[in-house]
Amino acid sequence: MATTQGVNVLRYSALVAGLVYGVYHQSSITSAAKRAEAQHEYARQERLIEQAKAEWKKKTTPKDAQSSGVITDPEDSRFDLEAYLKLKAGEN
């Protein structure tokens, strides 16, 4: 009878240990999947931000600067007189 009790203790101990390991393993798999999904979402948002910045820059850049790269509007704060004069000298 003593051996039967010892075997039952070992069986139930193994069962409990297996259940604990299963719960731990499942939680680690779930957390890894959530981390990967969060990284994927962050990368997608970075791409959207870069696209928005590029579109905004294309939208706000004056038409003159888009074709030659030089801002020809003297009222613009980024106006460069030297670059403008070189552009006009090259056209002649």
Side-chain angles (χ1 to χ4, degrees), residues 33-75:
K34 284 182 181 180
R35 237 185 345 263
E37 185 178 339
Q39 288 175 347
H40 178 69
E41 179 65 21
Y42 185 78
R44 186 186 71 82
Q45 288 178 352
E46 279 185 328
R47 284 193 312 273
L48 288 175
I49 290 170
E50 290 302 319
Q51 287 176 352
K53 284 181 180 179
E55 289 296 320
W56 182 81
K57 187 175 183 179
K58 188 168 78 172
K59 178 183 171 186
T60 59
T61 304
K63 299 292 184 213
D64 299 341
Q66 287 179 352
S67 61
S68 65
V70 177
I71 298 172
T72 58
D73 181 19
E75 298 297 322

Side-chain angles (χ1 to χ4, degrees), residues 68-88:
S68 65
V70 177
I71 298 172
T72 58
D73 181 19
E75 298 297 322
D76 193 346
S77 62
R78 298 172 292 166
F79 177 70
D80 185 10
L81 181 62
E82 183 179 355
Y84 177 71
L85 292 176
K86 285 181 182 178
L87 176 70
K88 287 300 177 181

